[in-house]
């Protein structure tokens, strides 16, 4: 069965410094992986997705993620944090046995300090 | 182009009551999935509708049921509400097909059961 583990429940950075949100996945097959962001009282917005085309995936708002099969990781990075990046971030894997189902991690709260 | 819309935005019910939540998918999408997000948790898959039938289901009791209409909009019904049903209910739309299809989320309906 597929699963994802977000290694940090809370990450705090200063504005202008790099962001690293860590995610490990478990899958028997080559997975589809996503990062979604949720701002307070908002729905989920897709940041980026990996579907086996390229291991380095670029998303919106300067975010990118690298798929590393050997490490079963899909960490999200951004070179320079903005105040507007403060939100909840979810690492997500698509369930191969249940094509309608997305499996979410527990989420990482990103705090950006001025 | 309107994205995924949901109504109502907020709802307060008492234990034992029944509730109906509504979702209109993004233009061009024919598949609707529903998720429950408890406070501080990642969303959990409830079920998915395509061609007016439930195609996939997560680990939720039969109190949770749904419907899809010919215009692809969908309803989520929850009977005999429990306090534990208090959550944000998210609707996501996509096009039916390979599991790599991106799901686009609405802003959610926040349900409080007293």
């Amino acid at each position: 069965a597929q699963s994802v583990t977000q290694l940090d429940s809370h990450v705090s950075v200063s504005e202008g410094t790099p962001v690293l949100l860590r995610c490990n996945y478990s899958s028997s097959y080559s997975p589809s992986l996503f990062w979604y962001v949720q701002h307070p009282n908002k729905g989920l917005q897709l940041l980026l997705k990996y579907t086996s085309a390229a291991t380095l995936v670029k998303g919106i708002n300067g975010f990118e993620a690298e798929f590393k099969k050997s490490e079963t990781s899909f960490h999200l990075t951004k070179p320079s944090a903005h105040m507007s990046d403060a939100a909840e971030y979810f690492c997500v894997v698509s369930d191969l046995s249940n094509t309608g189902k997305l499996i979410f991690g527990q989420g990482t709260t990103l705090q950006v300090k001025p | 182009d309107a994205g995924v819309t949901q109504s109502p935005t907020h709802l307060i019910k008492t234990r034992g009551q029944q509730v109906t939540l509504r979702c209109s998918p993004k233009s061009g999408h024919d598949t609707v999935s529903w998720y429950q997000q408890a406070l501080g948790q990642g969303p959990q898959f409830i079920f998915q509708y395509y061609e007016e039938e439930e195609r996939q289901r997560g680990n939720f009791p039969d109190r949770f049921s749904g419907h899809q209409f010919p215009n692809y909009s969908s309803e989520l019904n929850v009977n005999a509400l429990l306090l534990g049903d208090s959550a944000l209910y998210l609707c996501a739309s996509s096009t039916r097909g390979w599991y790599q299809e991106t799901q686009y989320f609405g802003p959610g309906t926040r349900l409080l059961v007293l």
Side-chain angles (χ1 to χ4, degrees), chain B residues 53-66:
Chain B
E53 290 190 15
E54 183 183 295
R55 299 293 179 169
Q56 310 287 351
R57 190 177 182 92
N59 189 25
F60 279 80
D62 292 345
R63 298 187 297 109
F64 289 78
S65 64

Side-chain angles (χ1 to χ4, degrees), chain B residues 29-97:
Chain B
H29 287 182
D30 58 8
T31 302
V32 172
S33 303
W34 287 93
Y35 293 80
Q36 181 196 65
Q37 185 179 18
L39 199 62
Q41 304 291 319
Q44 300 287 318
F45 176 76
I46 302 174
F47 43 52
Q48 183 187 72
Y49 276 82
Y50 171 69
E51 289 187 337
E52 303 179 46
E53 290 190 15
E54 183 183 295
R55 299 293 179 169
Q56 310 287 351
R57 190 177 182 92
N59 189 25
F60 279 80
D62 292 345
R63 298 187 297 109
F64 289 78
S65 64
H67 189 77
Q68 186 178 35
F69 299 93
N71 67 352
Y72 309 121
S73 66
S74 176
E75 289 182 348
L76 164 65
N77 301 294
V78 187
N79 294 322
L81 284 167
L82 304 174
L83 296 180
D85 295 331
S86 295
L88 180 67
Y89 288 84
L90 295 163
C91 167
S93 75
S94 58
T95 53
R96 182 67 174 180

Side-chain angles (χ1 to χ4, degrees), chain A residues 30-32 34 36 38 41-46 49-52 88 90 94-107, chain B residues 10 33 35 37 40-45 48 55-59 88 90 96-108 110:
Chain A
S30 182
S32 280
F34 309 79
Y36 281 86
Q38 187 174 37
N41 300 314
K42 300 278 188 178
L44 291 156
Q45 181 184 20
L46 178 70
K49 71 175 182 180
Y50 166 76
T51 54
S52 75
E88 190 79 11
F90 291 97
S94 183
D95 187 338
L96 294 170
S97 65
N98 184 337
T99 58
K101 182 178 179 180
L102 297 180
I103 301 168
F104 285 75
Q106 288 293 93
Chain B
H10 295 81
S33 303
Y35 293 80
Q37 185 179 18
Q41 304 291 319
Q44 300 287 318
F45 176 76
Q48 183 187 72
R55 299 293 179 169
Q56 310 287 351
R57 190 177 182 92
N59 189 25
L88 180 67
L90 295 163
R96 182 67 174 180
W98 188 232
Y99 67 93
Q100 297 171 343
E101 288 297 323
T102 298
Q103 294 189 21
Y104 294 86
F105 285 82
R110 190 165 296 282

